[in-house]
């Protein structure tokens, strides 16, 4: 019985996976969408938020540096210069010693 039998494998187009692809042509599209939703979009969103966060940190550091620079400049002023800076807009360019002590 096996003497006359010749082995003939099934053609690739008749295989199980090929038939499944032929029956469900939208499976590949569904896989692409699933990969996009589960991998690409979250990573892209995370990179976008990271870039925004870096920008906020840079702006915050610049504001802190500016604040420290202004504070250092203010502290360099003497007590009398501080008082003059406060009373000069009022037209009192020579504050008295009593006013210097009061505004200190």
């Amino acid at each position: 019985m096996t003497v006359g039998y010749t082995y003939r494998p099934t053609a690739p187009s008749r295989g199980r996976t090929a038939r499944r692809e032929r029956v469900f042509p939208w499976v590949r599209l569904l896989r692409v969408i699933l990969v996009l939703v589960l991998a690409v979009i979250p990573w892209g969103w995370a990179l976008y938020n990271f870039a925004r966060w870096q920008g906020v940190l840079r702006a915050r550091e610049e504001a802190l540096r500016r604040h420290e620079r202004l504070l250092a400049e203010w502290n360099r002023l003497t007590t009398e210069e501080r008082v003059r800076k406060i009373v000069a807009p009022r037209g009192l360019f020579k504050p008295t010693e009593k006013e210097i002590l009061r505004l200190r």
Side-chain angles (χ1 to χ4, degrees), residues 23-90:
V23 172
F24 303 113
W26 46 270
V27 170
R28 179 174 285 163
L29 177 65
L30 187 64
R31 285 183 191 151
V32 169
I33 291 172
L34 189 66
V35 166
L36 281 175
V37 168
L38 293 179
V40 176
I41 293 174
W43 278 97
W45 183 250
L47 287 173
Y48 170 72
N49 283 331
F50 182 72
R52 281 182 48 200
W53 182 65
Q54 289 288 341
V56 168
L57 281 182
R58 278 194 298 272
R60 180 180 174 269
E61 289 172 3
E62 179 60 33
L64 283 175
R65 278 196 299 269
R66 182 175 178 272
H67 177 71
E68 289 172 0
R69 191 172 59 243
L70 290 173
L71 190 62
E73 179 186 343
W74 179 258
N75 288 334
R76 274 196 308 271
L77 298 173
T78 63
T79 305
E80 188 174 341
E81 288 172 333
R82 285 187 204 169
V83 172
R84 281 190 182 151
K85 205 169 198 172
I86 292 171
V87 299
R90 299 182 202 157

Side-chain angles (χ1 to χ4, degrees), residues 6-31:
T6 58
Y7 175 70
R8 287 183 296 169
T10 58
S13 63
R14 300 182 132 198
R16 188 172 181 178
T17 58
R19 193 174 93 236
R20 188 179 305 145
E21 287 293 326
R22 194 176 55 216
V23 172
F24 303 113
W26 46 270
V27 170
R28 179 174 285 163
L29 177 65
L30 187 64
R31 285 183 191 151

